[in-house]
């Protein structure tokens, strides 16, 4: 490919009603269908997106191209005028399917008939999580701990909105009438709605305060990373190219979560040291989040996110892999036969009142394997968090609970497992749950700390400032303007 052609594929055309790098104007029917969906998306954004933001100017990044420097474009944007669009990484004509029965064949540019419903289902499930998270975070702007954080929340929100666009483009372009109907349904379901909830469990939970938001972006957005990475391996090339670009957006969301929790830890530890307090009640009396409550939020968000990987042993996952629809994390870099015909994988389950390890066909254990990859990365980040109390010589360490703790999906569903991995009775569970999971009074306490800090450079008492500002700007920059 010539250099000029390559640049064209990378660049995003903002002169169009729908910014894109997929030559949308060459396909009038598709363009018209998406232009009809656009006002419905905007209506959904007004109804369920971040509350009372229509007049704000937010210092946001907007992608101008899909190459590495494509994010260099920062500036003030009025939120509803954000240019949501369709951005795919460039087409590689030589790309081959790297796993499953079709290994070595050319990647599919159209949907193979036999995998149509599977692919549609996966794309809809992925797409459904994006607006769900925006709905979950709708009210957080009202209680922001700083302008810096408010801007980050809105950046996450607009990009989740764009991820919805990414999936709706695939549905409209490749799935005809069914796809258009699914595109509508994605705007109809609502997080937490009893009659028409979002598809996956975690996306119907509340994100009612900023501790929950940082936990969500740390734990749940990272599930997004791992699922997108597995879909980026897909034999269906447009899905792969879409997910590759989405992954670049996801990285910032996880940074928001990891650094947000780290700043809370830092602030609490500082207060504990400076005021010589360690008891949770005394710590709370200083207006900061006690470490025990933080641990309970970790227990909740980690366990709810593990459910998003599906059952550990899953025939769905096996057929997604065998058919070349969804790969493993970093599939192309793995050095086995990419077929898993006779490989085994160890999973845990409950048998005769005990947690036992079992070796099962690796093909059926792909959800467990992806989850294990995820946990390794999460553990590394938790280790980074733990350097903070260590630095303050505070004996507390954040600990991930056992993978069976508080699970609703998979091998542990229906069992009670303590955070340290003991099978316990319902009675013990009920007696201990308030020590292990955030109680109503924990939520009330954290909610009570949430004020609204909007003076540039100021931070709520319960969180430390970030190490640096956005895009090389100072921390006290006016990241959101209210005029
Ligand atoms: N809740 O064999 P099973 C993100 C259903 S996050 C409710 O266990 P499978 C983001 C399942 O659908 C990433 N239902 O699992 C983050 C199936 O139903 P059917 C989102 C569940 O199919 C933050 C049945 O149980 N992306 O991007 O191997 C902010 C048995 O299924 C749940 C994806 O998930 C649950 N937790 O895998 C914004 C990728 N778990 O078919 C965004 C696309 C399972 O029998 N999705 N079920 O009616 C997938 O790859 C798969 O659907 C799953 C489940 C991994 C979710």
């Amino acid at each position: 490919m010539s250099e000029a052609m390559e640049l064209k594929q990378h660049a995003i055309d903002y002169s169009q009603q729908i910014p894109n790098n997929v030559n949308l104007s060459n396909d009038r029917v598709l363009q018209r269908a998406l232009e009809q969906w656009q006002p419905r998306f905007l209506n959904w954004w007004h109804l369920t997106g971040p509350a009372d933001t229509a007049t704000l100017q937010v210092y946001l990044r907007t992608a101008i191209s899909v190459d590495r420097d494509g994010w260099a474009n920062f500036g003030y944007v009025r939120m509803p005028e954000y240019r949501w669009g369709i951005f795919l990484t460039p087409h590689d004509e030589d790309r081959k399917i790297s796993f499953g029965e079709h290994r070595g064949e050319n990647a599919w540019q159209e949907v193979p008939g036999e995998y149509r419903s599977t692919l549609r289902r996966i794309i809809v499930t992925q797409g459904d999580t994006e607006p769900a998270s925006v709905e979950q975070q709708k009210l957080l702007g009202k209680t922001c701990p700083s302008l810096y954080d408010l801007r980050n929340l809105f950046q996450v929100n607009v990009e989740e909105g764009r991820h919805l666009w990414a999936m709706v483009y695939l549905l409209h372009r490749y799935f005809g009438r069914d796809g258009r109907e699914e595109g509508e349904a994605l705007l109809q379901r609502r997080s937490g709605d009893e009659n028409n909830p979002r598809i996956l469990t975690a996306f119907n939970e509340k994100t009612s305060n900023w501790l929950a938001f940082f936990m969500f972006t740390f734990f749940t957005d990272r599930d997004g990373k791992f699922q997108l990475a597995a879909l980026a391996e897909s034999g269906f090339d447009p899905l792969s190219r879409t997910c590759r670009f989405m992954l670049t957006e996801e990285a910032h969301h996880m940074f928001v979560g990891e650094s947000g929790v780290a700043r809370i830890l830092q602030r609490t530890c500082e207060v504990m040291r400076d005021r010589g307090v360690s008891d949770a009640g005394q710590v709370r009396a200083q207006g900061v989040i006690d470490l025990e409550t933080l641990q309970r939020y970790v227990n909740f968000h980690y366990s709810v996110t593990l459910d998003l990987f599906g059952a550990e042993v899953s025939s769905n996952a096996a057929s997604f892999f065998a058919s070349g629809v969804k790969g493993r994390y970093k599939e192309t870099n793995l050095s086995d036969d990419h077929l898993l015909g006779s490989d085994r994988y160890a999973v845990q389950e409950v048998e005769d009142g005990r947690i036992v390890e079992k070796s099962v066909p690796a093909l059926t254990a792909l959800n467990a394997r992806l989850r294990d990859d995820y946990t390794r990365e999460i553990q590394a980040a938790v280790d980074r968090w733990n350097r903070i109390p260590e630095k303050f010589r505070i004996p507390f360490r954040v600990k991930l609970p056992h993978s069976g703790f508080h699970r609703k999906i998979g091998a542990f569903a229906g069992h009670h497992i303590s955070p340290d991995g003991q099978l316990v009775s319902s009675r013990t569970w009920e007696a201990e749950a308030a020590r292990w999971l955030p109680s109503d009074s924990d939520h009330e306490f954290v909610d009570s700390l949430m004020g609204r800090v909007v003076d540039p450079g100021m931070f709520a008492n319960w969180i430390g400032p970030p190490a640096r500002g956005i895009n090389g700007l100072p921390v006290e920059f006016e990241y959101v303007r209210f005029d």
Side-chain angles (χ1 to χ4, degrees):
M1 194 186 306
S2 78
E3 205 174 312
M5 256 177 80
E6 207 171 295
L7 268 178
K8 196 159 164 259
Q9 273 213 19
H10 291 216
I12 295 164
D13 184 354
Y14 274 96
S15 69
Q16 305 278 317
Q17 183 175 330
I18 300 170
N20 71 88
N21 70 346
V22 292
N23 274 333
L24 195 54
S25 54
N26 284 359
D27 185 340
R28 292 281 171 195
V29 175
L30 174 64
Q31 187 178 31
R32 218 167 309 125
L34 284 165
E35 284 177 0
Q36 279 170 12
W37 187 80
Q38 191 175 37
R40 294 203 276 276
F41 166 83
L42 287 172
N43 187 42
W44 163 82
W45 177 266
H46 286 298
L47 285 175
T48 68
D52 302 331
T53 52
T55 58
L56 306 189
Q57 291 192 62
V58 188
Y59 186 75
L60 295 177
R61 66 174 188 179
T62 307
I64 47 169
S65 96
V66 293
D67 54 27
R68 222 161 25 92
D69 301 325
W71 280 119
N73 194 46
F74 284 82
Y76 284 106
V77 177
R78 281 197 197 276
M79 289 272 275
E81 290 163 18
Y82 184 80
R83 304 295 311 278
W84 286 279
I86 300 160
F87 316 137
L88 271 63
T89 56
H91 177 201
D92 169 4
E93 282 161 31
D94 301 325
R95 182 165 175 257
K96 305 273 185 247
I97 300 169
S98 61
F99 61 95
E101 289 159 12
H102 300 283
R103 179 158 194 244
E105 294 173 21
N106 288 335
W108 310 308
Q109 300 307 323
E110 294 294 331
V111 178
E114 66 268 43
Y115 305 138
R116 188 182 162 85
S117 67
T118 308
L119 273 164
R120 192 185 68 198
R121 178 75 197 257
I122 287 183
I123 292 168
V124 166
T125 307
Q126 177 63 52
D128 192 69
T129 62
E130 317 290 0
S133 68
V134 175
E135 291 161 6
Q136 288 171 297
Q137 296 161 16
K138 177 182 172 73
L139 297 175
L140 289 174
K142 291 181 181 287
T143 58
C144 59
S146 73
L147 282 188
Y148 165 90
D149 290 293
L150 187 61
R151 177 264 169 211
N152 280 346
L153 166 72
F154 293 155
Q155 183 75 59
V156 169
N157 290 161
V158 293
E159 286 173 1
E160 299 300 10
R162 207 207 65 73
H163 288 182
L164 171 60
W165 270 95
M167 292 301 125
V168 166
Y169 165 70
L170 294 178
L171 289 169
H172 274 230
R173 165 67 181 79
Y174 296 97
F175 294 88
R177 169 129 66 120
D178 299 358
R180 289 193 294 280
E181 283 171 8
E182 295 285 13
E184 283 309 305
L186 284 166
L187 297 177
Q188 300 306 323
R189 285 187 287 274
R190 288 286 181 277
S191 175
D193 187 317
E194 255 177 50
N195 300 319
N196 198 11
R198 291 296 173 183
I199 296 170
L200 298 175
T201 40
F203 293 90
N204 290 301
E205 301 286 350
K206 285 200 170 72
T207 309
S208 60
N209 61 53
W210 282 74
L211 178 59
F213 170 66
F214 291 132
M215 292 289 174
F216 182 94
T217 41
F218 176 72
F219 286 109
T220 309
D221 275 273
R222 198 176 300 271
D223 169 50
K225 170 184 167 176
F226 279 79
Q227 298 294 345
L228 290 173
L231 295 176
E233 302 287 346
S234 181
F236 179 43
D237 201 42
L239 175 62
S240 163
R241 292 167 55 207
T242 306
C243 290
R244 283 174 207 274
F245 187 69
M246 289 165 77
L247 280 165
T248 69
E249 292 165 312
E250 209 67 78
H252 172 256
H253 307 184
M254 293 181 297
F255 159 79
V256 168
E258 182 175 342
S259 59
V261 175
R263 289 161 53 212
I264 295 174
L265 268 172
Q266 171 78 21
R267 179 67 187 141
T268 298
C269 291
E270 256 167 36
V271 167
M272 289 171 73
R273 179 200 57 194
D274 294 350
R275 305 192 195 155
V277 290
S278 56
D279 168 78
Q282 292 172 323
V283 172
R284 283 186 176 199
Q286 310 296 320
V288 295
I289 297 169
D290 55 292
L291 301 172
E292 292 78 1
T293 298
L294 190 137
Q295 176 66 58
R296 285 192 282 277
Y297 271 69
V298 165
N299 292 351
F300 176 80
H301 285 271
Y302 177 63
S303 57
V304 164
T305 304
L306 291 191
D307 277 343
L308 290 175
F309 288 85
E312 288 79 356
V313 176
S314 160
S315 58
N316 284 351
S319 74
F320 295 165
F321 183 84
S323 56
V325 162
K326 182 179 176 188
R328 289 171 293 176
Y329 184 55
K330 300 196 168 161
E331 181 72 50
T332 330
N333 299 349
L334 298 173
S335 58
D336 56 19
D337 67 359
H338 301 274
L339 295 170
L340 303 177
S342 52
D343 296 11
R344 314 283 298 176
Y345 195 82
V347 295
Q348 287 189 324
E349 61 180 50
V350 177
E351 200 178 79
D352 300 331
R354 286 185 315 127
I355 297 176
V356 294
E357 197 164 283
K358 279 219 160 142
S359 164
V360 299
L363 202 50
T364 63
L366 287 166
N367 287 343
R369 180 177 176 140
L370 193 63
R371 191 201 71 194
D372 290 345
D373 288 333
Y374 164 87
T375 294
R376 261 190 294 282
E377 199 174 281
I378 285 280
Q379 183 62 58
V382 167
D383 293 344
R384 287 194 288 278
W385 282 346
N386 279 333
R387 291 194 205 127
I388 299 168
E390 194 180 337
K391 192 177 69 190
F392 284 89
R393 296 182 194 284
I394 293 173
F396 170 89
R397 298 289 178 268
V398 178
K399 251 183 106 182
L400 293 178
H402 186 271
S403 62
F405 172 75
H406 185 233
R407 295 291 305 281
K408 302 250 170 23
I409 304 272
F412 295 104
H415 299 284
H416 295 303
I417 316 285
S418 66
D420 60 1
Q422 303 302 314
L423 197 60
V424 297
S425 66
S426 312
R427 190 185 293 179
T428 309
W429 177 267
E430 266 138 44
E432 300 291 338
R435 227 162 40 84
W436 294 338
L437 288 166
S439 62
D440 289 346
S441 73
D442 288 334
H443 291 309
E444 273 166 34
F445 168 69
V446 178
D447 289 351
S448 78
L449 295 181
M450 303 290 122
R452 185 163 203 256
V453 180
V454 290
D455 292 325
M458 300 297 285
F459 288 83
N461 180 55
W462 52 268
I463 190 165
R468 60 190 68 84
I470 310 290
N471 191 29
L473 291 169
V475 167
E476 55 277 9
F477 182 75
E478 193 180 9
Y479 289 104
V480 181
R481 286 189 183 148
F482 293 86
D483 46 45

